């Protein structure tokens, strides 16, 4: 071969003219952000320009549960601290927190509520874009990474479901990193960087989703530990110690501003079901409950192939059901593999490590070796449920090596590196993608465990035949084999083919860039567009259209549209002459997982993942008696006068009060008033023994059970009277007349923090009675018993929040003043640049 031909063969392809690099940096950022900010309009066009709004399940549930709080605010002009309309009464902060001091979230975002969630998505995408820039990435790489973080499928799922607090907490996570990087790795003046970080942390904490905060402490903590180790190994750790001082100051201000939220949570936590079960003797969530919705090992394939396990409608994975997968994008996976293999960016490992750890946490009961250990010994790990939610952290963390892989390979192509340099890691990524394609086509059986038994039971009940009847078995097999499996197979194979085509399309673009057929920036832009198209198309499958309502409808309108005749009857007839309302047990409406009835009348049920632990014990063990049905003793002591049902009850003491079609309202004719005296008291050794007593045959008007070392003196008094003269969320007043000492039971849920009881102005003990109620030893005579709820965290926390807000915005003004005076521009380049 001649030297001329050899030179021609080895000649690097000429670089095509690159329009993108001709733009000034400011214009590049402008175009990049414009592209990112237009993407939410495509996904959420119905709310941005379509005249509709997202009003998901949890939003409606929250509004229904908060009804008594809002009524109290309107009637009394003060914040309610007790919700009387759910679970027979519970602290108001479990439903809705007191109004917060003004900040961006309840001013600017509230003003932009009419385009929700577009404005919030802009905050998320803008923050993610800046985060990648601060880690040293160039604009198009930052766009690529921001798309993964902003449009992974879990985000539209939680928006459609109405998990607003979770979404709002998430949108500030990139800004937490931005604040950290600006304080520790930039030349921006410290006060301005301090303000940005403190504002981001404040807004994140004000969104109030402790589970999101706790989960993201893992990657954030990893970053801090990395910097700590690096400082210790250096000869000059002083700058790190100074930076740590700034970080602690940031945390102090954010905590001051949000102290009400978390102080009240800490106060409530020991009494919450997340603090454990007194009856079961546990100190946190029950393990089975906490590990419900664990991600299956095979189900991790849905990170790459969203329909591999049936999506939502045809889901066949190990969870009971799901709203959709945590899909991160086909191209995200391709470049993730390349980034893990080749990127030299030191921060890659700081995100990769927590990403792998949280992926393993998401497996829950399916990786018990690790997760049981964490559940038993790691602080607060046993306070949270739904392990699959860890995957939102996994996807966020894996977006970083994915973006680094995207930049590494495009840089090598742009530099004119030998094809072997970038083709080898690309080949590895394609090979691993091929394994995923093989799994999606050949290794799935599309049958859900326990599904046959479930269908057999349902059909046997409908046809009144045994579940093992041959005809039932044949019917079940026909349903599964001809309906479910083909639908699941079609979805999985379609998405597998789609994954393969997208990966090959990306590889083809890289080859064209490497061959000099198209400019590198053209290819990078095309890859960003393909990634966005891929994610938005999949997102649209799982963005619940059922949560869309007309823009002009209020939450109250949506709830009231479903009001029934039985609801109106109960609301009109459950008022007592003394001003309080009887409670209802809405058996027609999934009573302990539905707050809608609580909008119309006080309910013994409701909707909450953090109800009082001992009330949950009552629901589990005492509301229903095995073989008998409703425990009328417990219902009567809780003022439960009505319950809704679809079947006429065959229980003594229950009468039909109203009927509309197949919907019935039954009346408990033995219901007790709000306050009543008992004939005797029995002291038990422990509260679980008290629960056991009331779980059996129980006459609450005759005997009260307590777990105290003493029994108050009581004597018969047939002339005794008690009248409720004031009853609202923060105050209960009773007028009492007795000729003999007695014991009064108040049908309100026992909860010590904040409540103060006085008898004629002198403080008295509130005795826990019948496991969940309040009891009082009453001497003879004429008395006024008053209970007032004044949480110590409310007034004190309000002043601390005002102080923190003043310090926050004061630091911002001071930082702006310094920046103006110095007229210096800060560098966005971190110390941890890739090599």
């Amino acid at each position: 071969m001649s030297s001329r031909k050899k030179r021609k063969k080895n000649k690097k392809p000429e670089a095509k003219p690159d329009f993108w690099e001709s733009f000034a940096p400011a214009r590049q950022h402008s175009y990049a952000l414009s592209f990112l900010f237009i993407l939410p309009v495509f996904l959420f066009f119905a709310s941005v320009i379509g005249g509709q709004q997202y009003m998901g399940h949890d939003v409606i549930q929250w509004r229904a549960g908060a009804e008594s709080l809002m009524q109290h605010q309107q009637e009394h002009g003060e914040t309610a601290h007790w919700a009387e309309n759910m679970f027979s009464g519970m602290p108001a902060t479990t439903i809705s927190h007191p109004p917060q001091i003004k900040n961006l979230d309840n001013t600017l975002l509230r003003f932009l509520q009419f385009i929700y969630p577009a404005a919030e998505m802009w905050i998320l995408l803008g923050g993610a874009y800046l985060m990648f820039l601060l880690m040293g990435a160039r604009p198009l790489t930052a766009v690529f990474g921001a798309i993964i973080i902003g449009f992974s499928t879990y985000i539209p799922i939680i928006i459609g479901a109405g998990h607003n607090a979770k979404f709002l907490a998430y949108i500030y996570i990139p800004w937490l990193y931005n604040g950290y990087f600006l304080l520790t790795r930039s030349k921006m003046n410290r006060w301005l960087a301090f303000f940005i970080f403190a504002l981001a942390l404040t807004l994140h904490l004000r969104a109030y989703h402790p589970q999101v905060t706790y989960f993201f402490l893992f990657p954030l903590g990893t970053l801090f530990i990395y910097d700590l180790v690096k400082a210790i190994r250096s000869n000059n750790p002083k700058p790190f110690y100074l930076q740590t001082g700034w970080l602690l100051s940031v945390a102090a201000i954010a905590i001051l501003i949000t102290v009400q939220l978390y102080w009240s949570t800490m106060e409530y936590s020991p009494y919450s079901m997340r603090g454990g079960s007194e009856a079961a003797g546990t100190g946190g969530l029950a393990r089975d409950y906490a590990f419900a919705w664990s991600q299956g090992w095979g189900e991790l394939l849905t990170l790459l192939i969203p329909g591999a396990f049936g999506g939502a409608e045809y889901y066949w994975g190990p969870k009971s059901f799901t709203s959709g997968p945590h899909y991160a994008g086909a191209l995200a996976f391709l470049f993730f593999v390349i980034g893990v293999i080749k990127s030299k960016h030191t921060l890659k490992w700081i995100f990769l490590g927590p990403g792998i750890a949280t992926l393993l946490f998401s497996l829950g009961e399916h990786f018990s070796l690790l997760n049981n250990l964490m559940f038993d010994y790691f602080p607060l790990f046993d306070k949270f449920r739904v392990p699959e939610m860890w995957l939102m952290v996994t996807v966020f963390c894996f977006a970083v090596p994915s973006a680094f892989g995207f930049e590494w390979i495009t840089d090598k192509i742009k530099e004119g590196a030998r094809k072997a340099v970038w083709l080898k890691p690309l080949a590895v990524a394609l090979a691993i993608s091929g394994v995923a394609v093989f799994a999606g086509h050949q290794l799935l059986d599309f049958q859900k465990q326990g599904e046959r038994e479930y269908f057999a039971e349902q059909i046997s009940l409908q046809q009144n035949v045994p579940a093992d009847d041959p005809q039932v078995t044949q019917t079940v097999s026909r349903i599964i084999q001809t309906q479910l499996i083909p639908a699941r197979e079609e979805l999985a194979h379609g998405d597998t083919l789609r994954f393969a085509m997208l990966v090959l399309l990306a590889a083809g673009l890289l080859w064209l860039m490497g061959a000099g057929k198209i400019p590198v920036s053209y290819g990078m832009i095309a890859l960003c567009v393909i990634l966005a198209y891929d994610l938005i198309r999949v997102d649209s499958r799982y963005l619940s259209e059922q949560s869309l309502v007309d823009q002009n409808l209020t939450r109250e309108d949506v709830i009231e549209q479903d009001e029934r005749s039985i609801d109106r009857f109960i609301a009109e007839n459950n008022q007592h002459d003394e001003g309080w309302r009887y409670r209802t047990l809405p058996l027609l409406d999934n009573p302990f997982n539905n707050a809608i009835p609580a909008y119309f009348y006080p309910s013994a049920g409701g909707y909450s993942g953090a109800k009082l632990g001992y009330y949950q014990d009552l629901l589990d063990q005492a509301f229903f008696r095995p073989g008998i049905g409703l425990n009328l003793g417990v219902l009567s002591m809780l003022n439960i006068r009505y319950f809704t049902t679809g079947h006429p009850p065959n229980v003594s003491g229950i009468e039909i009060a109203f009927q509309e079609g197949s919907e019935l309202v039954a009346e408990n004719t033995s219901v007790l008033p709000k306050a009543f005296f008992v004939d005797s008291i029995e002291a038990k050794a422990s509260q679980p023994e008290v629960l056991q007593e009331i779980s059996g045959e129980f006459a609450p008007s005759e005997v009260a059970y307590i777990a105290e070392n003493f029994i108050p003196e009581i004597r018969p008094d047939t002339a005794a009277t008690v009248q409720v003269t004031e009853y609202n969320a923060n105050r209960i007043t009773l007028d009492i007349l007795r000729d003999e000492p007695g014991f009064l039971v108040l049908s309100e849920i026992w909860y010590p923090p904040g409540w103060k009881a006085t008898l004629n102005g002198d403080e008295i003990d509130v005795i826990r009675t019948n496991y969940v109620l309040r009891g009082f030893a009453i001497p003879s005579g004429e008395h006024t018993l008053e209970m007032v709820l004044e949480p110590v965290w409310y007034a004190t926390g309000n002043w601390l929040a005002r102080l923190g807000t003043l310090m926050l915005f004061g630091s911002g003004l001071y930082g702006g003043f310094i920046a103006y005076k110095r007229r210096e521009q800060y560098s966005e380049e971190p110390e941890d640049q890739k090599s």
Side-chain angles (χ1 to χ4, degrees):
M1 182 182 294
S2 68
S3 59
R4 179 180 297 179
K5 289 183 179 179
K6 189 173 183 179
R7 283 197 301 271
K8 184 176 181 181
K9 181 178 180 181
N10 293 333
K11 185 179 179 181
K12 296 178 182 178
E14 295 182 5
K16 294 285 184 181
D18 200 324
F19 82 101
W20 179 260
E21 293 186 350
S22 67
F23 295 142
R27 180 170 290 190
Q28 289 183 358
H29 295 321
S30 175
Y31 288 149
L33 286 171
S34 297
F35 174 71
L36 287 174
F37 288 0
I38 200 67
L39 293 180
V41 178
F42 289 106
L43 182 58
F44 303 107
F45 67 92
S47 63
V48 178
I49 58 178
Q52 295 181 293
Q53 60 177 318
Y54 287 98
M55 199 174 290
H57 172 269
D58 276 27
V59 172
I60 298 299
Q61 293 291 326
W62 168 83
R63 177 57 189 89
E67 174 63 12
S68 70
L69 309 180
M70 295 185 176
Q71 284 185 353
H72 182 87
Q73 177 70 41
Q74 292 172 0
E75 293 174 8
H76 300 276
E78 65 178 10
T79 298
H81 297 305
W82 190 258
E84 54 103 4
N85 63 323
M86 281 213 309
F87 297 112
S88 302
M90 61 195 304
T93 54
T94 61
I95 301 171
S96 183
H97 286 280
Q100 298 293 297
I101 301 299
K102 295 295 184 184
N103 210 307
L104 295 183
D105 51 358
N106 56 4
T107 54
L108 179 61
L109 285 184
R110 184 168 295 174
F111 173 75
L112 295 174
Q113 187 67 24
F114 67 96
I115 58 170
Y116 177 87
E120 289 77 7
M121 286 293 294
W122 295 337
I123 292 173
L124 172 61
L125 294 169
Y129 178 77
L130 178 58
M131 183 184 80
F132 283 105
L133 293 181
L134 292 174
M135 287 192 287
R138 280 178 282 282
L140 291 177
T141 300
V143 168
F144 188 88
I147 292 171
I148 301 171
I149 287 175
F151 292 96
S152 64
T153 307
Y154 190 63
I155 305 309
I157 286 174
I158 60 177
I159 291 171
H163 297 173
N164 291 4
K166 187 185 297 184
F167 173 57
L168 292 174
Y170 179 72
I171 67 174
Y172 299 112
I173 295 297
W175 288 98
L176 298 184
Y177 280 99
N178 293 338
Y180 186 93
F181 289 143
L182 289 172
L183 263 178
T184 62
R185 288 165 165 76
S186 81
K187 296 179 181 179
M188 173 184 275
N189 80 71
R190 287 291 179 262
W191 284 103
L192 204 53
F194 174 90
F195 168 71
I196 293 172
F197 196 3
L199 179 62
L201 182 57
T202 296
L203 294 174
H204 168 77
L205 293 178
R206 280 164 63 103
Y208 192 73
H209 199 289
Q211 189 164 357
V212 173
T213 303
Y214 180 81
F215 282 12
F216 274 96
L217 281 176
F218 281 75
L220 284 163
T222 303
L223 177 59
F224 178 80
I225 292 171
Y226 164 75
D227 284 348
L228 172 63
V229 172
K230 184 178 176 182
I232 292 173
R233 289 180 174 178
S234 72
N235 295 323
N236 183 25
K238 185 177 179 180
F240 174 79
Y241 298 146
L242 292 175
Q243 291 167 1
T244 301
W246 283 97
L247 296 176
L248 291 174
S249 300
V250 164
I253 283 188
I255 291 171
L256 274 178
I257 296 173
T258 58
V259 67
Q260 279 187 329
L261 300 174
Y262 295 91
W263 189 349
S264 64
T265 300
M266 291 176 63
E267 178 185 82
Y268 178 69
S269 181
Y271 302 93
S272 162
M273 60 183 289
R274 297 189 179 226
S277 167
E278 204 170 358
T282 59
L285 287 173
R287 196 180 305 267
D288 291 345
Y289 180 74
F291 284 168
W293 275 270
S294 294
Q295 189 82 351
W297 280 99
E299 199 178 1
L300 293 175
L301 185 62
T302 58
L303 289 165
L304 319 180
I305 302 172
F309 275 71
E313 184 179 0
Y314 298 107
Y315 177 71
W316 58 277
K319 299 188 285 283
S320 300
F321 61 87
T322 186
S323 297
H326 289 256
Y327 179 57
L331 271 60
F333 174 73
L334 180 73
F335 290 106
F336 169 80
V337 175
I338 295 171
V340 170
I341 295 173
K342 299 302 294 185
S343 174
K344 304 301 182 183
H345 201 303
T346 53
L347 286 181
K348 173 185 75 176
W349 304 107
I350 310 308
F351 286 88
L352 183 61
I356 294 172
T358 53
L359 183 143
L360 297 177
F361 293 158
S362 76
L363 297 170
E365 64 183 357
H366 304 302
F367 189 25
S368 57
L369 179 66
L370 170 66
N371 290 308
N372 281 335
L373 189 68
M374 294 292 290
F375 189 86
D376 290 334
Y377 298 107
F378 199 85
L380 302 180
F381 198 90
D382 62 345
K383 304 299 181 186
F384 304 106
R385 59 187 295 263
V386 189
E388 72 150 344
M389 186 178 152
W390 282 104
L391 289 175
M392 73 184 301
V393 187
T394 303
V395 172
F396 183 96
C397 290
F398 283 0
V400 174
S402 183
F404 290 164
F406 177 82
E407 182 150 292
W408 180 88
I409 195 167
T410 53
D411 274 358
K412 292 304 177 185
I413 293 173
K414 187 181 297 184
E415 292 167 4
R418 290 182 300 108
K419 286 185 179 180
V421 172
W422 55 269
L423 277 177
K424 286 181 180 179
L426 177 60
V428 173
L430 289 172
I432 297 175
S433 298
V435 174
V437 171
F438 176 78
H441 263 288
Q442 301 296 328
L443 301 183
L444 305 177
D445 64 10
F446 307 108
Q447 297 195 53
K448 185 175 179 63
Q449 185 176 4
E451 188 171 57
R452 287 183 176 274
E453 294 77 6
Y454 171 78
F455 283 127
E457 182 180 354
Q458 297 300 309
I459 294 171
S460 68
L461 289 174
Q462 293 173 5
Q463 299 181 0
N464 196 26
V465 295
D468 59 355
D469 184 277
Q471 290 187 347
V472 172
T473 304
Q474 291 174 7
T475 302
V476 171
S477 295
R478 185 172 62 254
I479 292 172
I480 292 175
Q481 296 297 329
T482 64
Q483 297 178 32
L484 295 179
I485 288 182
R488 292 163 177 168
E489 190 173 21
E490 181 181 3
L491 180 59
H493 289 176
D495 276 359
T496 301
L497 178 62
R498 185 173 175 278
F499 170 81
M501 292 176 63
L502 289 170
V503 167
L504 291 175
L505 177 60
L509 282 170
L510 291 172
W511 185 85
L512 290 174
M513 293 156 60
K517 303 296 183 182
I518 60 172
V520 174
S521 293
Y522 278 62
M524 294 174 72
I525 292 171
L527 290 169
C528 289
V529 170
I530 293 169
L531 175 68
Y533 172 80
D534 173 27
L535 284 170
I536 290 175
R537 282 297 300 269
V538 175
D539 289 349
S540 62
R541 297 181 194 173
Y542 302 105
L543 188 60
S544 175
E545 293 184 1
Q546 295 178 347
S547 63
L548 283 171
V549 300
D550 188 272
Q551 188 78 53
N552 298 316
L553 290 178
T554 65
R555 294 164 181 172
E556 294 82 1
D557 293 334
V558 173
I559 296 173
E560 290 169 4
Q561 284 176 349
D562 295 328
E563 185 181 17
R564 303 162 298 185
S565 297
I566 58 172
D567 298 321
R568 286 189 289 272
F569 172 83
I570 294 172
E572 292 168 0
N573 290 276
N574 73 337
Q575 186 82 16
H576 192 277
D577 294 340
E578 294 175 349
W580 52 272
R581 295 182 294 172
Y582 288 101
R583 299 187 180 105
T584 296
L585 180 60
L587 295 176
L588 273 178
D589 304 294
N590 192 9
F592 308 124
N593 200 31
N594 184 8
I596 301 302
Y599 179 84
F600 302 105
Y601 38 76
S603 174
Y607 181 80
S608 173
K611 63 180 75 73
L612 286 162
Y614 40 88
Y615 194 84
Q616 182 65 54
D617 293 340
L618 191 77
L619 298 180
D620 292 339
Q621 300 187 33
F623 255 60
F624 305 93
R625 297 176 60 191
I628 296 176
L630 292 170
N631 186 337
L632 289 186
V634 169
L635 268 61
S636 296
M637 80 175 191
L638 289 174
N639 302 146
I640 298 175
R641 181 179 182 182
Y642 296 116
F643 61 91
T644 62
T645 179
H647 306 283
N650 187 22
V651 180
S652 177
I654 299 294
E655 298 178 355
I656 298 299
F658 180 80
Q659 182 170 359
E660 179 73 22
S662 62
E663 299 176 337
L664 307 174
V665 177
E667 182 176 2
N668 174 17
T669 57
S670 59
V671 64
L672 291 170
K674 181 64 65 178
F676 54 92
F677 291 105
V678 293
D679 299 332
S680 63
I681 306 171
E682 288 190 24
K684 298 296 177 181
S686 66
Q687 290 296 341
E689 289 187 28
V690 172
L691 178 61
Q692 185 176 0
E693 288 292 339
I694 67 172
S695 299
E697 192 167 342
F698 170 50
S701 62
E702 298 175 6
V703 59
Y705 295 99
I706 62 175
E708 301 286 345
N709 295 325
F710 71 97
I711 298 180
E713 179 187 6
I714 63 173
R715 290 194 289 270
D717 186 353
T718 57
T721 62
V722 55
Q723 181 181 9
V724 178
T725 57
E726 184 179 16
Y727 182 83
N728 61 56
N730 298 336
R731 186 183 301 270
I732 303 172
T733 306
L734 298 87
D735 285 347
I736 301 169
L737 179 63
R738 282 194 69 95
D739 294 332
E740 300 290 343
F743 190 78
L744 177 72
V745 178
L746 179 65
S747 186
E748 288 295 315
I749 301 301
W750 176 81
Y751 182 72
W755 280 105
K756 180 180 178 181
T758 58
L759 191 68
N760 302 328
D762 297 324
E763 188 168 354
I764 62 169
D765 292 332
V766 181
I767 301 170
R768 184 176 175 183
T769 304
N770 294 344
Y771 200 67
V772 296
L773 298 182
R774 311 177 197 181
F776 307 87
I778 305 297
S780 60
E782 187 175 348
H783 310 287
T784 297
L785 175 64
E786 186 176 55
M787 293 201 73
V788 179
L789 178 56
E790 294 178 342
V792 65
W793 52 261
Y794 179 65
T796 304
N798 193 273
W799 282 106
L800 291 175
R802 292 177 186 275
L803 175 63
T805 301
L806 182 64
M807 295 169 66
L808 170 66
F809 287 99
S811 69
L813 290 173
Y814 184 61
F817 174 75
I818 292 176
Y820 174 76
K821 293 290 289 183
R822 294 179 179 175
R823 299 176 181 273
E824 65 179 18
Q825 294 185 349
Y826 65 91
S827 170
E828 295 181 347
E829 193 74 19
E831 295 176 5
D832 305 303
Q833 296 184 45
K834 70 177 186 177
S835 60

